Amino acid sequence: MELYHNLLPLPSGYFGASSALYNLNGLIIIYGPAGGAWHINIEDEPRWYRNKTKLLGAGLLEMDVILGRDTAFVDRIVEVASDLKRSFVAILGTPVSAITGIDLKGISKAVQKRLNIPVLYINTIGSEDYCIGAKKAFLELAKYFVDREYITENKTINILGAIHLDIGRSSHLNPMLELIQQCNFQIKSIWGIDSCISKIKNCAGAELNIVLTSSGLSVAKWMYNQFNVPYILGFPVGKRAVEKFKRILEGKYNYSNLTKTSKIDKKVLIVGEPVISYSIKTFLKKELGLKDVIVLSRTPIDELFSAEGVIYSFLEKGGEDIYTSVESEISKVINQDEIDIVIADPYYRILIKNKKIFIPLPHIAVSARFYWDSSYEFIGLTGGEYLKQYFCN
Amino acid sequence: MLIEKSRIKVICLNEKKDFPFAPLEAMGPNISGWGVVETTLLLPESVCLMVGPLACLRHSAFMAHARDFFNRFYMLPIDELDIVMARHLRIIKNAIKEIILETSPKIFILSSTCCDHILGTDYKRIIQEIEEEFDIKLIYTVMAPLTIGQKPSPFEMAYSALYEYLKKIIGKKVPSRLNILGNFLPITNTSELYNLCNNLGLTIYQIPRINTAEELSLMTTAELNIVIHPLGEILAKKMKKGLGIPFLFVPVSYGLLEIEQNYKKLSEKLGKYIDYTPYKKEAHNYIAKRLNLLRDKKVAVGCSIYGNPFELADALLEYGCDVKAIFCRNAPKLFELQYIKRLKEKSPETFIYNISHPYLMEKLDVFDDIDISFGVDAGICCRNSVNVPLSRYKLQTYGFENAILLFKEIEKYVSTPIKNYDWIYKHNLLI
């Protein structure tokens, strides 16, 4: 039984879709009752604060849902979208649409007929995790906007899956941006934080993609299948991985993994978004020499190890890695006696009953806005330095 | 200007339909209310289980952590398909049993969401079985924001859930007992209202100060319910009909005349003279020395305040302010029309904004001349203002004390301002 008591349930699909689309100057509409969009804005989306309107709720009432006042809903969307002059409209499904089976796709088409901007329908329901919603949103975005006539440009790269629910503030991306710049690569587009539609349109000509979180995987695969753009899965953390990353970008594709003899006999548990967690795991094992590192993810992990189109992966699966979203199971794993160090969002602290070294790594999908302003890093050299300090003390 | 669609001058507000309609919704209903779960958990010795899709649970979970009531709160995610097929009932029953065995509560609150509300899921059998098996009171409530505006709000329904516990208790009326309804945080027993009531030999019961289910049952013996916030009105009506306890609506106020009026009404209802004059004098003296804090200041009032935004606006006009904006989420209710009437006379050009209107955030510079904003919601819009939150999660006073508190808070935050961002993101005053 998936009973929650101490942890927050993960954001659902439409939270993820919203995170993926938020910075694109669109109008995102949640088909739900009062508060449907507000929960996202006030709890999970600090980019909302004193900014222009991006995410709105349908504000449905009982009779709207039961009687299906679709025409009024269409009229309202058209009115607001026309007034606000955004780049596109995205309509997101919720538990209400899942229950009633309203034809949101049809509604999207009806809205499209009356607007001169693209109207996307993201088929989210409300009980799937945010990652699924973000993937769906990115795919819709790709299918609608990415220009299929392109010329591949050398030394260009797209950053995929940079959603704020996993990455946090956009400044956490800086080490990656600097690294790419040092390699004389040009960033064609960032999917998630700091995106813009015009860049997404022209992303097909990139030489390479890099996938920062699971939510970027669907588009990475799609771009590989459509345009033959290969991708790097995961990202470098610490010196050795950064050097490796540079060599990959220099075209010296070396498929051999980083190696190092493990010396430190401590067992580490990383709880978090799987691509981020595995990238950190690589750092701990290959740079700090930790012998035993386990990843626990609340979203699926298997797909990360069967992806086609990957030219290099910073991810290495271990036999003990776990995928579970059940609080009691997470608690059991965290409290295993043999685990010495836990790297996780500070919210997991509440589950720890015995003595452990705890390294805080805020994850917005877990703790919403609570640690948004906290100081932490996890990418590149600064990510390595942030984590290393806990092992040096 | 788009902003015009989100506002109306107070002089033009004559009917409900004049209030600017939000075609799509930006800010949620809990700005001007309480959370459903935290409201039901006011009941002592209770635990709450919320069941529904992941999306609906996350919000309540966030609130539980921000407001620190998660130790009595459980959540069970259910797939939409399970809800439609009614497969969730067995899962829920097992979850309830598991929680009861772990926590041994006296009252169990089961809260569902819009999904069950739309489908009309019948929880009666589960409730009956659990009550029989564990000798416990199970109260069913629903967090269904779909019902807002047409029926009692989810907050009112949650608050009224208390009646489900009280209705089976036949208490003999005790003339010297009063209940206070509608407050979330407790009014302290050293407060003005307590002192005045104690002087008359009256005992006050208020839900946030009650620690046990047994003590809660004493509320059925009161001679009068004093409703200090509209939240308590439905419960008061139910208690009047079912338990024969009359009620008096005397809302929390900031204006000195309004406060005095409320005491007069209370005095009349009780048939006892309430000597509030020392408090009145103290408030007059305190405020007179600090009126310069507000004189000619341009102010805005939000709906997240403790009390009523229209009443506060009216009081602020009395204190010499220039009330430029009032932020609300809904058209004024019947009891608010008296304030609207006074505002029309004193400040017809004041704008009333729909805080959830999608165009409001598009042009925040119209609020850049506001000196002081009251309420965290008003503070979001009024970027250059000193933000005085007057949050219902921070304060709970009544009578002349409340007017004094207004000036204390103004004085405090004018001299040491706290950013609106910090009120929201560090102090969690807006969820």
Side-chain angles (χ1 to χ4, degrees):
Chain A
M1 192 184 307
E2 200 182 336
L3 202 58
Y4 285 92
H5 181 46
N6 295 297
L7 297 177
L8 269 68
L10 286 180
S12 74
Y14 63 90
F15 289 58
S18 160
S19 179
L21 304 174
Y22 205 83
N23 258 9
L24 293 168
N25 191 37
L27 189 64
I28 307 161
I29 295 158
I30 309 280
Y31 182 83
W38 174 241
H39 298 168
I40 298 179
N41 278 335
I42 195 66
E43 290 158 13
D44 289 300
E45 190 52 273
R47 292 178 290 178
W48 156 84
Y49 185 72
R50 282 184 181 162
N51 259 315
K52 300 234 181 232
T53 302
K54 288 169 180 169
L55 178 68
L56 292 170
L60 298 173
L61 295 173
E62 205 170 21
M63 287 304 129
D64 298 329
V65 173
I66 292 165
L67 300 176
R69 292 170 176 158
D70 305 349
T71 314
F73 181 49
V74 170
D75 289 345
R76 290 178 197 179
I77 296 172
V78 170
E79 181 191 339
V80 176
S82 307
D83 281 345
L84 293 181
K85 297 183 173 49
R86 297 293 189 255
S87 307
F88 66 94
V89 169
I91 299 173
L92 276 51
T94 68
V96 172
S97 53
I99 290 281
T100 60
I102 184 174
D103 180 13
L104 283 183
K105 194 172 183 180
I107 284 181
S108 305
K109 283 181 183 168
V111 174
Q112 181 67 88
K113 279 185 183 167
R114 291 170 59 187
L115 288 175
N116 291 323
I117 52 171
V119 179
L120 311 178
Y121 162 53
I122 317 293
N123 182 15
T124 47
I125 52 175
S127 57
E128 75 280 61
D129 72 62
Y130 70 99
C131 186
I132 295 173
K135 280 178 187 168
K136 284 181 178 176
F138 281 141
L139 259 186
E140 284 301 316
L141 208 58
K143 287 175 187 170
Y144 202 103
F145 287 104
V146 173
D147 200 338
R148 281 145 204 266
E149 287 180 14
Y150 64 95
I151 300 164
T152 302
E153 294 171 63
N154 287 337
K155 287 192 171 289
T156 55
I157 191 165
N158 298 308
I159 298 176
L160 309 182
I163 59 170
H164 91 294
L165 286 170
D166 290 326
I167 302 292
R169 297 182 82 97
S170 61
S171 58
H172 294 299
L173 269 188
N174 289 346
M176 175 54 69
L177 307 185
E178 285 160 17
L179 190 54
I180 289 170
Q181 213 171 12
Q182 282 169 26
C183 296
N184 295 319
F185 261 63
Q186 192 199 334
I187 297 166
K188 279 194 90 71
S189 69
I190 303 174
W191 292 58
I193 300 166
D194 286 342
S195 319
C196 80
I197 290 287
S198 61
K199 288 187 176 174
I200 278 175
K201 270 184 182 168
N202 297 317
C203 73
E207 184 187 336
L208 208 55
N209 286 332
I210 180 164
V211 176
L212 298 188
T213 71
S214 305
S215 63
L217 203 56
S218 57
V219 167
K221 286 179 184 173
W222 184 82
M223 283 178 70
Y224 177 71
N225 289 327
Q226 296 285 322
F227 315 117
N228 208 24
V229 183
Y231 58 97
I232 299 169
L233 192 50
F235 52 86
V237 184
K239 270 184 198 170
R240 295 194 71 211
V242 161
E243 288 311 314
K244 180 86 184 175
F245 183 76
K246 281 179 179 173
R247 285 201 299 278
I248 295 167
L249 259 59
E250 279 166 14
K252 295 168 188 165
Y253 293 171
N254 179 352
Y255 293 93
S256 64
N257 285 329
L258 288 164
T259 54
K260 177 160 182 169
T261 313
S262 300
K263 285 176 188 166
I264 304 173
D265 196 15
K266 296 262 187 211
K267 194 165 185 175
V268 182
L269 173 70
I270 309 168
V271 189
E273 193 288 324
V275 177
I276 295 174
S277 300
Y278 278 109
S279 300
I280 291 171
K281 178 180 175 177
T282 300
F283 165 71
L284 298 180
K285 290 192 79 158
K286 306 292 163 71
E287 184 156 332
L288 298 190
L290 280 136
K291 210 171 170 181
D292 214 348
V293 183
I294 309 171
V295 167
L296 189 155
S297 172
R298 287 167 73 179
T299 53
I301 50 180
D302 281 348
E303 60 175 357
L304 299 173
F305 299 98
S306 57
E308 54 172 344
V310 182
I311 58 156
Y312 186 82
S313 174
F314 284 92
L315 285 47
E316 206 175 297
K317 200 176 181 185
E320 287 185 83
D321 297 335
I322 303 148
Y323 156 53
T324 178
S325 57
V326 179
E327 186 179 308
S328 56
E329 286 176 20
I330 297 169
S331 179
K332 254 186 218 164
V333 176
I334 284 189
N335 286 299
Q336 282 174 8
D337 288 338
E338 56 269 34
I339 288 173
D340 307 291
I341 301 164
V342 177
I343 302 175
D345 182 276
Y347 252 78
Y348 290 103
R349 259 197 181 120
I350 202 165
L351 299 179
I352 299 178
K353 292 174 185 128
N354 43 19
K355 205 181 168 194
K356 312 269 183 211
I357 295 169
F358 189 88
I359 303 177
L361 191 69
H363 186 191
I364 310 306
V366 171
S367 55
R369 74 185 191 198
F370 287 125
Y371 300 99
W372 176 257
D373 291 320
S374 296
S375 172
Y376 65 97
E377 297 295 338
F378 54 92
I379 297 178
L381 294 176
T382 48
E385 281 158 21
Y386 172 77
L387 295 163
K388 203 174 174 179
Q389 62 178 325
Y390 292 93
F391 290 89
C392 295
N393 294 331
Chain B
M1 275 208 306
L2 281 181
I3 194 92
E4 295 303 338
K5 293 190 178 181
S6 72
R7 68 185 185 182
I8 184 168
K9 280 183 182 171
V10 71
I11 191 72
C12 303
L13 184 67
N14 297 314
E15 294 177 71
K16 207 171 177 178
K17 67 175 176 57
D18 295 333
F19 186 74
F21 172 72
L24 294 168
E25 180 206 60
M27 287 199 198
N30 46 323
I31 282 181
S32 56
W34 281 267
V36 168
V37 175
E38 62 184 332
T39 306
T40 55
L41 282 174
L42 282 172
L43 293 170
E45 299 183 272
S46 63
V47 295
C48 177
L49 170 67
M50 179 173 265
V51 295
L54 207 60
C56 311
L57 302 185
R58 184 165 168 92
H59 168 64
S60 293
F62 179 88
M63 197 175 264
H65 281 268
R67 306 251 156 85
D68 207 23
F69 59 82
F70 68 95
N71 57 340
R72 292 197 287 139
F73 180 49
Y74 294 80
M75 291 149 282
L76 184 67
I78 308 274
D79 284 357
E80 287 82 357
L81 193 58
D82 283 338
I83 298 175
V84 172
M85 305 295 283
R87 293 192 297 232
H88 63 321
L89 295 174
R90 184 165 295 279
I91 307 169
I92 290 167
K93 196 176 159 189
N94 289 338
I96 294 173
K97 284 182 178 181
E98 192 178 313
I99 296 165
I100 290 175
L101 291 171
E102 192 184 310
T103 60
S104 310
K106 292 268 173 65
I107 301 166
F108 196 103
I109 298 146
L110 174 64
S111 179
S112 71
T113 63
C114 289
C115 296
D116 275 317
H117 182 76
I118 295 166
L119 294 169
T121 307
D122 188 354
Y123 279 99
K124 275 186 199 130
R125 190 157 164 203
I126 286 189
I127 293 170
Q128 196 185 343
E129 284 175 10
I130 293 286
E131 284 188 335
E132 280 170 11
E133 190 176 339
F134 292 97
D135 189 25
I136 192 174
K137 180 69 197 168
L138 198 150
I139 295 171
Y140 175 69
T141 185
V142 59
M143 185 186 76
L146 284 174
T147 60
I148 285 172
Q150 292 170 328
K151 290 180 176 177
S153 75
F155 323 118
E156 288 168 318
M157 290 307 288
Y159 194 75
S160 309
L162 168 68
Y163 182 72
E164 298 304 309
Y165 179 78
L166 295 176
K167 69 181 180 187
K168 289 176 185 167
I169 303 162
I170 312 293
K172 196 181 166 195
K173 299 287 167 291
V174 180
S176 59
R177 285 180 183 165
L178 300 176
N179 297 324
I180 296 174
L181 300 183
N183 55 324
F184 191 81
L185 294 178
I187 293 174
T188 63
N189 55 5
T190 53
S191 65
E192 173 184 315
L193 184 62
Y194 264 74
N195 288 341
L196 289 171
C197 288
N198 287 344
N199 290 344
L200 295 172
L202 299 166
T203 308
I204 293 177
Y205 291 90
Q206 48 171 330
I207 302 164
R209 284 183 66 85
I210 288 175
N211 296 317
T212 64
E214 283 72 27
E215 203 183 335
L216 188 66
S217 63
L218 292 176
M219 290 187 80
T220 60
T221 64
E223 68 165 316
L224 180 68
N225 282 326
I226 304 173
V227 181
I228 66 168
H229 186 279
L231 170 75
E233 208 165 357
I234 292 175
L235 176 60
K237 282 177 183 168
K238 283 185 176 180
M239 287 176 78
K240 185 182 175 188
K241 196 177 172 191
L243 302 169
I245 304 173
F247 73 92
L248 180 68
F249 180 57
V250 275
V252 165
S253 307
Y254 292 94
L256 295 170
L257 282 173
E258 191 72 10
I259 294 166
E260 188 167 10
Q261 279 298 324
N262 283 344
Y263 275 134
K264 280 182 180 169
K265 282 184 198 168
L266 184 59
S267 199
E268 194 181 320
K269 190 84 179 174
L270 288 168
K272 290 175 179 171
Y273 173 67
I274 301 175
D275 185 13
Y276 53 78
T277 44
Y279 293 103
K280 181 183 168 184
K281 202 174 164 187
E282 188 191 343
H284 274 273
N285 289 340
Y286 188 92
I287 289 168
K289 289 175 196 162
R290 288 162 181 84
L291 276 177
N292 58 333
L293 284 168
L294 288 182
R295 188 155 293 130
D296 299 328
K297 288 280 188 292
K298 293 185 175 74
V299 301
V301 181
C303 57
S304 67
I305 58 156
Y306 170 62
N308 185 280
F310 297 112
E311 193 282 328
L312 176 59
D314 181 39
L316 289 167
L317 285 166
E318 286 298 310
Y319 297 136
C321 292
D322 178 7
V323 179
K324 304 294 283 185
I326 302 170
F327 299 94
C328 304
R329 207 187 166 277
N330 301 102
K333 294 188 173 65
L334 198 61
F335 83 95
E336 293 172 320
L337 296 180
Q338 54 177 320
Y339 309 128
I340 300 282
K341 192 180 165 198
R342 295 209 288 260
L343 288 169
K344 280 183 179 181
E345 287 161 11
K346 293 178 200 168
S347 183
E349 298 295 305
T350 296
F351 278 109
I352 296 174
Y353 292 83
N354 183 341
I355 190 76
S356 64
H357 202 285
Y359 304 160
L360 192 58
M361 302 294 275
E362 294 296 299
K363 200 163 168 51
L364 290 181
D365 58 357
V366 298
F367 305 110
D368 282 353
D369 63 339
I370 303 288
D371 301 305
I372 304 174
S373 55
F374 296 90
V376 182
D377 55 330
I380 295 167
C381 300
C382 307
R383 300 176 292 194
N384 300 332
S385 67
V386 170
N387 191 206
V388 181
L390 294 179
S391 169
R392 61 174 74 93
Y393 290 104
K394 214 165 154 272
L395 313 168
Q396 200 76 58
T397 52
Y398 190 82
F400 292 104
E401 261 182 358
N402 207 44
I404 291 176
L405 184 87
L406 170 68
F407 281 85
K408 280 185 178 169
E409 292 283 297
I410 295 166
E411 204 165 21
K412 190 169 158 188
Y413 297 119
V414 164
S415 62
T416 319
I418 290 181
K419 284 181 193 166
N420 174 261
Y421 181 90
D422 290 343
W423 282 130
I424 298 173
Y425 291 94
K426 288 186 181 157
H427 300 269
N428 288 318
L429 292 188
L430 193 69
I431 294 176

